[in-house]
Amino acid sequence: MKSKQSPNRILLSEREIPKKWYNIAADLEEKPAPPLDPQTRQPISPDRLSAIFPQSLIEQEVTDKKFVRIPQELLKVYAKWRPTPLVRARGLEELLETPAHIYFKNESLSPSGSHKLNTALAQAYYNKLEGVKRLATETGAGQWGTALSMACNYFELGCKVFMVRSSYDQKPYRRAMMQMWGAEISASPSEETNAGKNILETHPDSTGSLGIAISEAVEVAASDVETKYSLGSVLNHVLLHQTVIGEEALKQMEKAGEFPDTIIGCVGGGSNFGGFAFPFIREKLEEKARARNMRVIAVEPSACPTLTRGVFTYDYGDTAGLTPLLAMHSLGHDYIPPAIHSGGLRYHGVAPLISSLVNAGLISPVAYTQNEVFDAAVKFARSEGIVPAPESSHAIRAAIDEALRAKSEGKREVIVFNLSGHGYFDMGAYDDYLQGHLADSSVDEEELQRYLNQLRLQSPPK
Amino acid sequence: MKSKQSPNRILLSEREIPKKWYNIAADLEEKPAPPLDPQTRQPISPDRLSAIFPQSLIEQEVTDKKFVRIPQELLKVYAKWRPTPLVRARGLEELLETPAHIYFKNESLSPSGSHKLNTALAQAYYNKLEGVKRLATETGAGQWGTALSMACNYFELGCKVFMVRSSYDQKPYRRAMMQMWGAEISASPSEETNAGKNILETHPDSTGSLGIAISEAVEVAASDVETKYSLGSVLNHVLLHQTVIGEEALKQMEKAGEFPDTIIGCVGGGSNFGGFAFPFIREKLEEKARARNMRVIAVEPSACPTLTRGVFTYDYGDTAGLTPLLAMHSLGHDYIPPAIHSGGLRYHGVAPLISSLVNAGLISPVAYTQNEVFDAAVKFARSEGIVPAPESSHAIRAAIDEALRAKSEGKREVIVFNLSGHGYFDMGAYDDYLQGHLADSSVDEEELQRYLNQLRLQSPPK
């Protein structure tokens, strides 16, 4: 029953934290094409992955179980901030004068400031169980590095972070935050790995990329038996861990007595999007009446248009070509997207699970320019009182446009998006925007076409 | 009933947001000495305050009612983030291996990042009701300026902020955050006011102080009929608004089935401390058995030791001497404390209500050096996953010391402190600390004694 007094925030108790993660792969009639061994180009055997991942995560990566139980120990840590609130964005609704109901899942309230902590803790936990001493990883904007540093600190693991050089220089406070949790940080490309040295030889002034930083972290993990590699997005097990977001949101929408007509998330590698959207998409796959017409929108930057313009193919997850080949939309593993403030969305590829759902027509991708996104971010900040991360603001932009469309069509639709993180470490970007200095970095069309054409020459995954 | 499964966070529903603020003055046998008119040195008439404050806030300043109803409109806005959680700091307890139960009230989850928003919204609301068009204020570390900017944006008022020059230069992101909410910011001392010009004439390189910034804001308000002045701490009505913190915490402790043996807060002007502590102190004033032995600890920086070393006297709230004279502990209204990272605690005076309770022996003040405080902050961050504001970390330091004392005495005490804000905008200070570069700015003893001796010459308030 709804009334004028219906709450702004739909809260769940700690007891209502989901007890299982949801594995959408189990529900797909057409399974995503498997990762390939880069040497043999045959489906990679799980054993080959054990140099860089612990056994339990490899099992989660390939499992066909529909649900995976969340260990008690993790539920205990999740309870430090989960369940996160689902918030009715009444301020934004009023600003837009829309009949639409807008909700957002507030993952920015996590101790690390974003959804990344959900999988960081899970990965640290499983590695710890298997006797791993240290995790190596990459970070772009810094959200993932922060989350993994916190998680390693919690489970008493060492943490080595390769931070994309441009972020390392621009965001000293992100670095300080990771050091606060005891992590060891290097600017990438670094002299510590062959992958890094190779880049520096040809590009001594390289400002780095996520792809390069991944190569460095993988190399470190592969060459030290006590160190494993940890990835903050893209892979099945990462998206799996993030489904706590959507499972909670589903319960919360039930409490609100509504069901979304449209769900929206931003997409870089795809982890916040997948984690938020998959439990809702399950309702659609199970052909539940209420979900039949639900639309699912994935939002990316025009400057890194992986889903809207990339080629569906087998490509590496990193620049140096150390990872397995993944069946995904890609701009090319050595393509370097132009600089934007949404470092977390500046990745050449995307999660195979999401690519596969886009191919199946279950997810509609859309792209926005940087100024469109910051315009939405400031509208949201002023009406809801939360400074959103530039990444998350892509979802806000789409939610605003949907709400305005609903208004022009006179429809009382229900729009739900995921606020994946806060923007307190991005005030420099906001300052630029407010002073009118923010550039709409766009892709070099000729260069991008060259990369895409090269990818089109490959035979597509089956 | 408690069990192993007792929750980490004690949550209240939106319906449980307190409906009334608590006015501790009504419960004090000995009332605090009244503010004096700086011209006549007689108790100031409320009319004289109406140049800078709206009528409704002046009434709250002098009311003898025990409770003041919170307007419906404000409850609606509070519900955007209140009630805030009361958190059992199990991580910190484990780190300290203490039998004590440590709880903290998490005010850092407010949209502005601190408790300041509780009164900022209230003040903006009442000013708006009375037709005021703009508010002028000062800010040190930036927490208050951010909160008032947000509140003015919400109630569609203009906002003029004088930001202490040293913060203005060191914290461009705080400035950007205030601009995000549409506020107009000037570095103080500025050329825009006589108070500012006078300082700049004698000290062209002045890095400012809260006292100077207050003078500038008061001057602007007094000279423009459409602008009123807004203060983030010290005054009765400000502390009144903050009592939502303590009222919630009181309910939450009841839910937890415990009552504090010790409550702790940091003190600058005194608003987070008063707002948190007063409802608990009420239990003591009403001689409830459970509160009889409760200790109340106010924590301040050794570099600005207002309560531990200041003189109880009548002094101005600002440097230029534009405000009424307040009966409070003071280091001298023109004393400039050494630079520390806790800008919010760097104030020469303190709320008269708190001074009065210290005099009555109901509050015990204690002071810590900067490195002691940051040591505690990092311990807290690593065990609880939250980066605390340097100001709030003073309370953490005392909570840790109490928990260690309880351990050495083998006592299972209950310690509750207020986490007034987060430290995401203070990572520069943390970076210094982690790299071992943080100085323990201490007072110039001779200079301080000179100021204190001068204050001792005055006749104390009765």
Side-chain angles (χ1 to χ4, degrees):
Chain A
M1 209 186 76
K2 289 189 294 127
S3 76
K4 264 192 176 171
Q5 273 72 45
S6 71
N8 292 293
R9 291 182 299 164
I10 297 138
L11 302 174
L12 301 174
S13 72
E14 286 179 24
R15 284 186 311 279
E16 293 174 281
I17 295 176
K19 304 291 178 293
K20 295 167 185 168
W21 292 305
Y22 168 53
N23 171 31
I24 199 170
D27 277 340
L28 298 180
E29 278 183 29
E30 206 160 322
K31 305 295 174 202
L36 303 185
D37 192 312
Q39 260 104 64
T40 64
R41 294 193 73 95
Q42 294 300 309
I44 197 162
S45 80
D47 289 357
R48 283 271 291 150
L49 295 170
S50 62
I52 57 169
F53 292 120
Q55 209 51 45
S56 41
L57 292 179
I58 296 171
E59 277 162 26
Q60 290 183 358
E61 187 64 21
V62 298
T63 184
D64 51 12
K65 279 198 231 158
K66 183 162 175 172
F67 292 100
V68 175
R69 199 182 55 82
I70 306 178
Q72 203 57 42
E73 181 72 15
L74 266 180
L75 289 173
K76 206 183 102 187
V77 204
Y78 279 172
K80 282 184 175 282
W81 82 99
R82 305 206 70 87
T84 59
L86 180 80
V87 186
R88 173 83 181 273
R90 288 185 206 275
L92 185 60
E93 290 173 15
E94 279 167 32
L95 178 77
L96 303 174
E97 297 179 328
T98 177
H101 287 192
I102 308 175
Y103 293 85
F104 61 92
K105 180 70 171 159
N106 194 352
E107 289 295 302
S108 79
L109 293 176
S110 111
S112 80
S114 82
H115 69 291
K116 292 289 188 188
L117 197 57
N118 299 322
T119 184
L121 286 163
Q123 294 188 44
Y125 168 77
Y126 288 111
N127 274 284
K128 179 76 179 183
L129 272 193
E130 298 188 24
V132 174
K133 299 290 182 222
R134 188 174 75 142
L135 292 179
T137 197
E138 70 292 328
T139 198
Q143 298 272 26
W144 169 243
T146 303
L148 194 69
S149 303
M150 289 188 76
C152 285
N153 170 64
Y154 187 84
F155 286 109
E156 298 177 338
L157 292 170
C159 188
K160 169 80 195 177
V161 181
F162 289 94
M163 185 173 187
V164 174
R165 163 67 73 182
S166 55
S167 285
Y168 185 93
D169 291 339
Q170 276 167 28
K171 296 189 168 183
Y173 296 167
R174 267 287 172 203
R175 175 183 50 68
M177 185 121 168
M178 291 184 268
Q179 285 165 336
M180 173 93 101
W181 317 122
E184 190 198 328
I185 323 291
S186 300
S188 166
S190 79
E191 294 283 355
E192 296 167 43
T193 65
N194 292 326
K197 280 185 221 163
N198 287 343
I199 297 281
L200 289 172
E201 246 169 53
T202 47
H203 300 91
D205 296 331
S206 169
T207 53
S209 73
L210 267 178
I212 297 170
I214 295 176
S215 296
E216 293 206 87
V218 169
E219 188 182 321
V220 162
S223 59
D224 173 6
V225 288
E226 296 202 319
T227 301
K228 297 280 182 197
Y229 170 67
S230 177
L231 186 64
S233 193
V234 180
L235 298 180
N236 299 347
H237 70 272
V238 182
L239 275 60
L240 176 80
H241 301 154
Q242 293 294 358
T243 57
V244 287
I245 304 172
E247 294 292 355
E248 283 178 12
L250 206 53
K251 280 191 209 173
Q252 286 164 315
M253 286 308 294
E254 259 159 42
K255 274 206 176 180
E258 308 211 84
F259 194 83
D261 295 296
T262 306
I263 61 170
I264 302 172
C266 65
V267 177
S271 78
N272 96 78
F273 180 85
F276 170 63
F278 289 175
F280 286 98
I281 297 177
R282 178 179 65 222
E283 303 274 300
K284 202 164 170 140
L285 293 170
E286 290 175 350
E287 296 188 338
K288 294 203 182 148
R290 62 183 186 182
R292 206 163 291 152
N293 297 314
M294 182 188 71
R295 291 180 316 132
V296 183
I297 302 179
V299 194
E300 62 185 14
S302 315
C304 188
T306 316
L307 284 174
T308 49
R309 303 186 58 193
V311 175
F312 181 66
T313 186
Y314 266 117
D315 201 359
Y316 296 104
D318 71 320
T319 302
L322 301 178
T323 72
L325 291 158
L326 301 172
M328 62 182 179
H329 289 78
S330 176
L331 304 174
H333 67 275
D334 47 358
Y335 175 74
I336 305 223
I340 49 171
H341 285 289
S342 299
L345 306 186
R346 201 169 154 264
Y347 181 62
H348 68 275
V350 69
L353 275 173
I354 289 175
S355 274
S356 158
L357 289 161
V358 167
N359 290 341
L362 284 159
I363 295 174
S364 312
V366 58
Y368 286 105
T369 65
Q370 185 153 257
N371 274 291
E372 289 170 330
V373 166
F374 273 80
D375 171 74
V378 171
K379 283 197 170 72
F380 178 78
R382 290 191 176 163
S383 56
E384 291 297 323
I386 298 172
V387 180
E391 288 85 354
S392 320
S393 304
H394 286 74
I396 299 173
R397 173 78 266 170
I400 288 177
D401 285 0
E402 286 296 309
L404 292 175
R405 184 194 44 72
K407 177 185 177 180
S408 73
E409 294 174 5
K411 289 182 183 162
R412 213 229 63 189
E413 296 185 8
V414 177
I415 298 162
V416 188
F417 69 89
N418 191 34
L419 183 76
S420 56
H422 65 62
Y424 294 135
F425 290 90
D426 299 281
M427 292 312 300
Y430 278 104
D431 202 13
D432 284 353
Y433 173 76
L434 291 169
Q435 297 188 26
H437 298 156
L438 196 67
D440 266 337
S441 310
S442 53
V443 294
D444 175 330
E445 280 296 331
E446 260 182 64
E447 186 199 13
L448 179 61
Q449 284 307 335
R450 209 163 50 240
Y451 277 92
L452 296 179
N453 286 336
Q454 212 165 354
L455 294 173
R456 284 187 193 110
L457 295 177
Q458 302 177 189
S459 51
K462 270 170 241 137
Chain B
M1 209 186 77
K2 289 189 294 129
S3 75
K4 263 193 175 167
Q5 273 73 43
S6 71
N8 291 295
R9 292 181 299 165
I10 297 138
L11 303 175
L12 301 174
S13 73
E14 285 179 23
R15 285 186 311 278
E16 293 174 281
I17 295 175
K19 304 291 177 292
K20 296 168 184 168
W21 292 304
Y22 168 54
N23 172 31
I24 200 169
D27 277 341
L28 297 180
E29 276 182 32
E30 205 159 321
K31 305 293 174 202
L36 302 185
D37 191 312
Q39 261 105 64
T40 63
R41 293 192 74 95
Q42 293 301 308
I44 197 161
S45 81
D47 290 357
R48 284 271 291 151
L49 295 171
S50 63
I52 56 169
F53 291 119
Q55 210 50 45
S56 40
L57 291 180
I58 297 171
E59 277 162 26
Q60 290 182 359
E61 188 64 23
V62 299
T63 186
D64 52 13
K65 279 197 232 161
K66 183 163 176 171
F67 292 100
V68 175
R69 198 182 57 81
I70 306 177
Q72 203 57 40
E73 181 74 13
L74 266 180
L75 289 174
K76 207 184 100 187
V77 205
Y78 278 172
K80 282 185 176 281
W81 81 99
R82 304 208 69 87
T84 59
L86 181 79
V87 186
R88 174 83 183 272
R90 290 185 204 274
L92 186 60
E93 290 173 14
E94 280 166 29
L95 178 77
L96 303 174
E97 297 177 327
T98 176
H101 287 190
I102 308 175
Y103 293 85
F104 61 93
K105 180 71 171 161
N106 193 352
E107 288 295 300
S108 79
L109 292 177
S110 113
S112 79
S114 82
H115 69 291
K116 292 288 188 189
L117 197 56
N118 299 323
T119 184
L121 285 164
Q123 294 189 42
Y125 168 78
Y126 287 112
N127 275 284
K128 179 76 179 183
L129 271 193
E130 296 188 27
V132 174
K133 299 290 183 221
R134 189 174 73 142
L135 293 179
T137 198
E138 71 292 327
T139 199
Q143 297 272 27
W144 169 242
T146 303
L148 195 69
S149 302
M150 289 189 77
C152 286
N153 171 65
Y154 187 85
F155 286 109
E156 297 177 336
L157 292 170
C159 187
K160 170 79 194 178
V161 181
F162 290 94
M163 186 173 187
V164 174
R165 164 65 75 182
S166 55
S167 284
Y168 186 92
D169 292 339
Q170 274 168 28
K171 297 189 168 184
Y173 296 167
R174 267 286 173 203
R175 175 182 51 67
M177 185 118 170
M178 292 184 266
Q179 285 165 335
M180 172 92 102
W181 319 121
E184 192 196 326
I185 322 291
S186 300
S188 166
S190 79
E191 293 283 356
E192 296 167 43
T193 65
N194 292 327
K197 280 185 223 165
N198 287 344
I199 297 280
L200 289 173
E201 247 170 52
T202 46
H203 301 90
D205 297 330
S206 169
T207 54
S209 74
L210 266 177
I212 297 170
I214 295 176
S215 295
E216 293 207 88
V218 169
E219 188 181 322
V220 163
S223 58
D224 173 5
V225 288
E226 296 202 318
T227 301
K228 297 279 183 198
Y229 171 66
S230 178
L231 185 64
S233 192
V234 180
L235 298 180
N236 299 347
H237 69 273
V238 182
L239 275 60
L240 177 79
H241 300 153
Q242 294 294 359
T243 56
V244 287
I245 305 172
E247 295 292 354
E248 284 178 11
L250 206 51
K251 281 190 208 176
Q252 287 163 314
M253 286 308 295
E254 259 159 44
K255 274 205 175 183
E258 308 210 84
F259 194 83
D261 295 297
T262 307
I263 61 170
I264 302 171
C266 65
V267 177
S271 78
N272 98 77
F273 180 85
F276 170 63
F278 289 175
F280 286 99
I281 297 177
R282 178 179 65 223
E283 303 274 301
K284 201 163 170 139
L285 292 170
E286 290 175 352
E287 296 188 338
K288 295 203 180 149
R290 61 182 185 182
R292 204 163 292 151
N293 297 315
M294 181 187 71
R295 292 180 316 132
V296 184
I297 302 179
V299 194
E300 62 185 14
S302 315
C304 188
T306 317
L307 283 174
T308 47
R309 303 187 56 193
V311 175
F312 181 65
T313 185
Y314 266 117
D315 201 1
Y316 295 104
D318 71 320
T319 303
L322 300 177
T323 72
L325 291 158
L326 301 173
M328 61 183 180
H329 290 77
S330 177
L331 304 174
H333 66 277
D334 46 0
Y335 175 73
I336 306 223
I340 49 171
H341 285 289
S342 298
L345 305 186
R346 199 167 155 265
Y347 182 62
H348 67 275
V350 69
L353 276 173
I354 289 176
S355 275
S356 157
L357 289 162
V358 167
N359 290 342
L362 283 159
I363 296 173
S364 313
V366 57
Y368 285 106
T369 64
Q370 185 153 256
N371 275 293
E372 288 171 330
V373 166
F374 273 80
D375 171 73
V378 171
K379 283 198 169 72
F380 178 78
R382 291 190 176 164
S383 57
E384 291 297 322
I386 298 172
V387 180
E391 289 84 354
S392 320
S393 304
H394 286 75
I396 298 172
R397 173 77 266 170
I400 288 178
D401 284 359
E402 286 297 310
L404 292 175
R405 185 195 43 71
K407 178 184 176 179
S408 74
E409 294 175 6
K411 290 184 184 161
R412 213 228 64 188
E413 296 187 9
V414 177
I415 299 163
V416 188
F417 69 89
N418 191 33
L419 183 75
S420 56
H422 66 63
Y424 295 135
F425 290 90
D426 300 281
M427 292 312 301
Y430 279 104
D431 203 12
D432 284 353
Y433 173 75
L434 291 169
Q435 296 188 28
H437 298 156
L438 197 68
D440 267 337
S441 309
S442 54
V443 294
D444 175 331
E445 281 296 333
E446 259 182 63
E447 187 199 14
L448 179 61
Q449 284 307 336
R450 209 163 52 239
Y451 277 91
L452 295 179
N453 287 335
Q454 212 165 356
L455 293 172
R456 285 186 192 111
L457 294 178
Q458 301 176 189
S459 53
K462 273 170 239 132

